[in-house]
Amino acid sequence: MATETGTKFQAVSRLRGTVFEYVSLGASVFGIVLLAALLVYVSIDAFDLANASPQWLLTYFLTLVVPLIGFCLYSADDRQITRRTGLAVGGGLVVSALVFTGVEALVGPIDRLSWPLVYLFVFVVPTTGYTIFAANQETVGGVGFGLLGRLLGGTALGLAVGVLFLVFDPQLWMLAYTFGLLPAALAVGYGQWRPDSGMSSKALPIGIVGLVVAVGLRQVVPMYPTDFIIYIWSVSMPIAAGGAALVAGQRGRTAALSVGLVPLAVAVAGGFAAAGFGLPSKTVLLVLVTAGVPVAVFISRTLTDGEGTIGLVLPILLAAGVLVGALIVDFAGFPAPDPWLDPSYVTSSPSRTPVDAGLYPAIVGSVIIIALVAVLSFVLGVGTAVFLEEYTAGSGWMGALTRLIQVNIANLAAVPSVVYGLLGLGLFANFLGFGFGTAVTAAFTLSLLILPITIISAQEAIRAVPDSLRQGSYGMGATRWQTTKNVVLPEALPGIFTGTILALGRAIGETAPLIMIGAATTVFSAPDSIWSKLSAMPMQIYAWANFPQAEFRYGVVAAGVMTLLIVLLGMNATAIILRNKSEGV
Amino acid sequence: MATQQSDSLITTEVSSSQTGRSAAPDETVISSTDLDVFYDADKALDDVSIEIPEHKVTAIIGPSGCGKSTFLRCINRMNDQIPACEVDGELHFHGTNVYDPQVDPVALRRKIGMVFQKPNPFPKSIYENVAYGLRVQGKEVTDELVEDALRNAALWDEVKDQLDESGLDLSGGQQQRLCIARAIAPDPEVVLMDEPTSALDPVAASKIEDLIDELVEEYTVIIVTHNMQQAARISDKTAVFLTGGKLVEFDDTQTVFENPAHDRVEDYITGKFG
Ligand SMILES: Nc1ncnc2c1ncn2[C@@H]1O[C@H](COP(=O)(O)OP(=O)(O)OP(=O)(O)O)[C@@H](O)[C@H]1O
Ligand SMILES: [Mg+2]
């Protein structure tokens, strides 16, 4: 009898758990779907996809997407993935056509959407993403996307450097490089080659003296080479030399020479050629160097490793796809969309007429603000976090002070951004005289705004470093600074990068504090110094959203949002790369 | 410096004890008088007075929680890192009270290397792990010094082809030997080892025992262990701590194991309690 009652397992009610599960699932899906719908509409508007003819879409689908997916499937080399992809691409076509026409028949026409677009966004884009992800895990795909990433990343870097030189004096940079950085780097190099010379330890004083000399010379020297030559000497050559040094250690001298010299020669030639075509020669030079050197290093490594070399064709495959697609479209006269987000949009100034409107000054403004904020908040945030975590004692009045600061930092993170704007207006713009709406005022204000987040995330990262490592370092007779510099910071760096760049993402999208410090919503020329008045992307987008013409609201704003998102994604990608790099050591 | 001293000792060495090491009159290198240690209000060491001889292996044994690690940390002032910890009394290293305000703990730790209970190599290459002490102490880093340290730690043959790889990729026993190499690379005078073989298999453990046997020609070694046989095998002197942080017995290893003065020590050694 006893066993009978003992083995009766009645069903335990899981109702509440199940309800909770589905409610939370529904809530998150709801949010994601809404955001996805918004992004789809933004990209449709920004690229004018609503006016793309089905033939146009089909052409590029065949010349661009199909080869890309094919490459990925070849690289992934997994039957299951191939089957899934085929099912999504093929079945998706039928499903989206049927469902979309069904819905339109029952409910009525849907604005600016057609079934090919639905197919594109609901099936093609996610499937392509999935296959890229799968391919990236394997050697061939890893090589292909590694090369592509270096191309794109290098290009973005070159453009960013070009933008920064609009504001920061290239002549001062040349002097600083020639008299400070170059001698210091040579000292380090010589010190590594001949360890007994003790040159490495002299690098820092040499560099500092050189920088001081450079600043002094800038005041007195009246004549400088042209910017093009400055860029060759003090930007392109060091990058090429760095790439060569990377390769030299493992692959010998010939490889190093070609990795350094070939991109340099191409870039210089490209720069001269660009001038002939009326293109900005300096930008072309920078982009060719910043993209060319990493690409050359990557190709050299891949070739010596000899694995997955076939992946190197990926960029050619894609470029050919675009070219062939364009030829076919042109030849057959398929109606093509006229995207708002095109080269002229990102290179021209704002305008009252939608077709002429461009985001260039605002992009430059945002890039400069972000560069300054990145430096300021990184230095201040990491410094404060190191001080709070490593240097203050846990007890005594110092400990109490630390705890007080700690609590207040957490509170500061929750202060609304307008309040920071007010602080920036009072402190930086007025009291310190940095000027209303200038890059410096904006950068300081936004740095303050994100400082609490930077500090807290850096603290988390530092706290996550196991104490046994610190003990090990102290046990070896290291000072606190040596321990922090050699053990704690390298371990914490990935986490610090992640936190800082996420915080930067917040700074780049802020408008309220910029309005408070008197930044203009619209500026017609790009800033040419850190003291000039500037606008930022979100401000300009906000201004356009209030314009009467519908083209602004549906085209220009969408293109602006798209640009902002691309810059943000680029920054996040940088964060991930930096994190992986510093973790990989 | 340590090398020179040991050279002069080796030449006059007469094998006597079961470990076959010098029976010459012991020169005290570390001595404590009435050392008390508190963690907040809890007493972890109670009135410890001890004289540790140079170029000998001194074993510290005792039940868990009796303050062995605490005592070890007193010697190179690693207790300074624990805010709750307070040290009372004196501990002399070559006649200097290390708790004198004049003494810089960083300088002290450069003379007294430490191997921790749990292997804790840095997330750097094997080479950089060994070179770390040299670097932070401002000494010159040469490939020979790194190789010597790894050879002394009986690790060289296993890692000589992978010096650029991360120290974390080694096995637990290899990591422990890497930590030993790291500790001896800057050539300290004393090496403190906190249960260096507790996580090791018998083969790796005996490698480390052999290593300690060699180390003692150049260094003074103080080792905490829970393994009675190990203490009996490798040490010249044995200190027995019992619960409450009291140093109950300190004598030649042979005497402690064969003829202990206290019944409680005998009970502990023979496994009747502990
Ligand atoms: N960081 C610390 N904070 C507070 N109390 C501590 C700390 N470290 C040790 N103690 C206390 O001091 C006493 C002695 O600890 P200790 O680590 O020295 O023991 P042990 O002999 O090394 O033990 P085991 O053999 O388990 O390693 C214990 O009661 C312990 O609770
Ligand atoms: Mg212990």
Side-chain angles (χ1 to χ4, degrees):
Chain A
M1 284 306 269
T3 35
E4 236 178 65
T5 46
T7 49
K8 250 190 189 168
F9 294 114
Q10 280 156 349
V12 178
S13 166
R14 291 187 178 76
L15 182 64
R16 263 179 280 179
T18 319
V19 168
F20 176 75
E21 189 183 331
Y22 282 103
V23 166
S24 28
L25 180 71
S28 40
V29 167
F30 181 68
I32 292 173
V33 165
L34 278 188
L35 198 63
L38 174 74
L39 285 181
V40 166
Y41 264 105
V42 166
S43 27
I44 289 178
D45 284 348
F47 296 107
D48 190 31
L49 290 177
N51 291 326
S53 59
Q55 300 94 316
W56 185 88
L57 286 171
L58 182 66
T59 310
Y60 279 108
F61 179 73
L62 290 178
T63 60
L64 200 58
V65 180
V66 170
L68 176 61
I69 291 184
F71 172 85
C72 293
L73 293 181
Y74 167 77
S75 165
D77 193 20
D78 182 328
R79 204 162 284 161
Q80 204 180 355
I81 294 176
T82 313
R83 192 145 20 89
R84 274 190 212 144
T85 307
L87 198 68
V89 171
L93 192 74
V94 181
V95 171
S96 43
L98 286 183
V99 171
F100 189 81
T101 36
V103 168
E104 273 206 323
L106 290 177
V107 184
I110 300 173
D111 195 22
R112 285 175 290 154
L113 217 54
S114 60
W115 74 261
L117 286 181
V118 171
Y119 174 57
L120 175 69
F121 283 110
V122 177
F123 291 99
V124 177
V125 171
T127 312
T128 316
Y130 167 70
T131 52
I132 289 178
F133 174 77
N136 212 5
Q137 313 290 319
E138 306 299 328
T139 339
V140 177
V143 167
F145 290 107
L147 185 63
L148 198 64
R150 279 163 179 78
L151 262 174
L152 295 178
T155 308
L157 183 69
L159 292 174
V161 171
V163 165
L164 290 182
F165 270 126
L166 291 174
V167 170
F168 299 101
D169 185 11
Q171 285 134 10
L172 179 61
W173 165 251
M174 183 195 73
L175 292 173
Y177 168 75
T178 312
F179 295 104
L181 300 179
L182 183 62
L186 289 179
V188 170
Y190 186 80
Q192 274 175 2
W193 181 49
R194 288 263 169 84
D196 40 328
S197 67
M199 276 309 267
S200 319
S201 54
K202 298 199 187 80
L204 195 63
I206 291 179
I208 291 174
V209 170
L211 288 184
V212 174
V213 169
V215 174
L217 281 179
R218 182 72 184 96
Q219 313 295 325
V220 290
V221 176
M223 295 262 292
Y224 291 93
T226 63
D227 281 359
F228 191 73
I229 293 183
I230 291 181
Y231 287 2
I232 293 179
W233 161 244
S234 60
V235 180
S236 313
M237 283 176 49
I239 293 180
L246 265 183
V247 174
Q250 291 142 328
R251 333 273 152 180
R253 209 166 284 174
T254 343
L257 270 183
S258 53
V259 161
L261 287 183
V262 171
L264 190 62
V266 170
V268 174
F272 277 116
F277 290 107
L279 290 168
S281 57
K282 291 183 283 184
T283 312
V284 170
L285 170 78
L286 287 177
V287 167
L288 284 177
V289 165
T290 52
V293 172
V295 163
V297 170
F298 188 74
I299 292 179
S300 152
R301 283 202 175 153
T302 311
L303 290 182
T304 13
D305 288 354
E307 271 174 34
T309 37
I310 185 78
L312 294 175
V313 301
L314 179 64
I316 303 170
L317 193 72
L318 295 182
V322 172
L323 214 66
V324 171
L327 278 179
I328 295 177
V329 166
D330 213 35
F331 190 69
F334 296 144
D338 179 20
W340 289 100
L341 181 53
D342 57 6
S344 86
Y345 180 80
V346 293
T347 52
S348 57
S349 299
S351 163
R352 300 233 138 244
T353 43
V355 259
D356 297 333
L359 198 58
Y360 179 66
I363 296 177
V364 175
S366 277
V367 169
I368 284 160
I369 293 178
I370 285 307
L372 289 173
V373 171
V375 174
L376 278 174
S377 63
F378 189 80
V379 171
L380 288 177
V382 176
T384 314
V386 166
F387 177 76
L388 287 178
E389 287 302 313
E390 300 289 311
Y391 277 81
T392 50
S395 55
W397 67 271
M398 257 315 235
L401 184 69
T402 316
R403 274 192 293 281
L404 190 72
I405 296 179
Q406 190 78 48
V407 170
N408 278 301
I409 289 174
N411 281 332
L412 284 179
V415 169
S417 53
V418 230
V419 179
Y420 282 98
L422 203 58
L423 176 65
L425 178 70
L427 180 62
F428 301 122
N430 254 329
F431 184 71
L432 295 175
F434 291 169
F436 298 94
T438 60
V440 186
T441 307
F444 272 95
T445 310
L446 291 179
S447 299
L448 269 195
L449 170 73
I450 63 167
L451 199 55
I453 314 177
T454 330
I455 294 176
I456 291 174
S457 58
Q459 273 184 296
E460 296 289 337
I462 289 174
R463 225 173 285 159
V465 176
D467 217 32
S468 64
L469 292 183
R470 289 188 188 86
Q471 302 290 331
S473 175
Y474 286 126
M476 302 295 304
T479 61
R480 202 192 299 240
W481 168 241
Q482 285 172 329
T483 303
T484 306
K485 183 185 72 154
N486 297 325
V487 176
V488 177
L489 281 184
E491 268 298 279
L493 217 49
I496 294 178
F497 276 138
T498 320
T500 311
I501 299 203
L502 286 182
L504 280 181
R506 177 166 175 209
I508 196 180
E510 279 292 344
T511 33
L514 295 182
I515 297 174
M516 288 303 282
I517 59 163
T521 47
T522 302
V523 175
F524 291 94
S525 58
D528 54 7
S529 98
I530 52 173
W531 303 104
S532 50
K533 275 188 164 267
L534 45 61
S535 180
M537 282 193 264
M539 302 269 296
Q540 182 63 63
I541 293 170
Y542 175 72
W544 276 334
N546 293 320
F547 274 31
Q549 299 101 308
E551 286 98 330
F552 272 111
R553 268 170 285 139
Y554 291 114
V556 180
V557 167
V561 171
M562 213 61 214
T563 319
L564 189 56
L565 284 178
I566 291 172
V567 172
L568 251 177
L569 286 182
M571 275 169 43
N572 287 351
T574 318
I576 293 170
I577 292 168
L578 282 178
R579 192 182 62 202
N580 293 349
K581 272 261 142 67
S582 41
E583 261 174 1
V585 178
Chain B
M1 176 177 165
T3 329
Q4 284 158 10
Q5 286 175 351
S6 68
D7 284 347
S8 62
L9 267 180
I10 292 166
T11 49
T12 59
E13 198 170 80
V14 188
S15 57
S16 66
S17 74
Q18 82 269 35
T19 51
R21 279 189 285 271
S22 160
D26 301 331
E27 222 173 290
T28 302
V29 55
I30 291 164
S31 63
S32 74
T33 37
D34 302 338
L35 194 71
D36 292 327
V37 176
F38 299 87
Y39 290 107
D40 289 325
D42 298 334
K43 204 167 199 176
L45 283 185
D46 190 1
D47 245 6
V48 172
S49 300
I50 193 170
E51 293 194 342
I52 292 173
E54 198 165 27
H55 297 299
K56 291 281 166 68
V57 179
T58 301
I60 299 178
I61 60 175
S64 185
C66 68
K68 304 180 295 293
S69 299
T70 302
F71 179 69
L72 219 53
R73 283 199 299 266
C74 281
I75 299 176
N76 64 347
R77 282 187 62 175
M78 283 299 283
N79 277 333
D80 291 17
Q81 301 296 321
I82 304 171
C85 184
E86 203 176 309
V87 180
D88 208 12
E90 294 197 348
L91 192 142
H92 291 271
F93 175 60
H94 281 311
T96 319
N97 179 16
V98 303
Y99 286 95
D100 193 280
Q102 311 277 316
V103 170
D104 182 355
V106 172
L108 178 73
R109 290 179 204 135
R110 293 182 178 187
K111 294 219 185 298
I112 304 180
M114 184 159 198
V115 179
F116 293 82
Q117 195 160 347
K118 252 175 62 190
N120 58 348
F122 300 123
K124 300 171 184 288
S125 69
I126 293 173
Y127 188 98
E128 281 306 316
N129 260 287
V130 181
Y132 188 82
L134 296 167
R135 287 202 201 288
V136 297
Q137 299 183 17
K139 295 179 179 163
E140 196 188 326
V141 179
T142 62
D143 294 352
E144 289 79 57
L145 283 176
V146 172
E147 181 179 338
D148 280 351
L150 283 169
R151 274 191 198 287
N152 279 334
L155 189 61
W156 173 253
D157 291 328
E158 286 155 70
V159 302
K160 60 171 180 263
D161 298 322
Q162 52 185 78
L163 293 178
D164 285 337
E165 280 163 40
S166 169
L168 296 178
D169 294 343
L170 298 175
S171 76
Q174 290 173 324
Q175 288 188 7
Q176 192 62 288
R177 277 176 282 153
L178 179 62
C179 290
I180 294 175
R182 182 177 79 179
I184 58 181
D187 198 23
E189 291 178 33
V190 179
V191 181
L192 311 176
M193 296 184 170
D194 199 346
E195 298 183 41
T197 61
S198 61
L200 303 187
D201 72 289
V203 178
S206 83
K207 269 189 188 163
I208 289 188
E209 286 180 17
D210 294 345
L211 161 70
I212 291 171
D213 224 34
E214 283 169 32
L215 284 182
V216 80
E217 293 179 1
E218 293 182 35
Y219 309 96
T220 303
V221 178
I222 305 175
I223 175 173
V224 171
T225 177
H226 277 290
N227 183 334
M228 299 304 144
Q229 288 80 25
Q230 185 176 58
R233 264 197 307 272
I234 62 173
S235 70
D236 305 280
K237 291 266 187 182
T238 299
V240 188
F241 284 72
L242 288 183
T243 319
K246 284 198 167 56
L247 172 62
V248 179
E249 187 149 340
F250 178 58
D251 211 327
D252 287 337
T253 299
Q254 215 164 352
T255 321
V256 171
F257 276 89
E258 284 168 11
N259 194 11
H262 299 76
D263 292 345
R264 282 164 65 214
V265 171
E266 182 162 5
D267 288 350
Y268 175 69
I269 288 173
T270 52
K272 286 206 187 110
F273 100 100

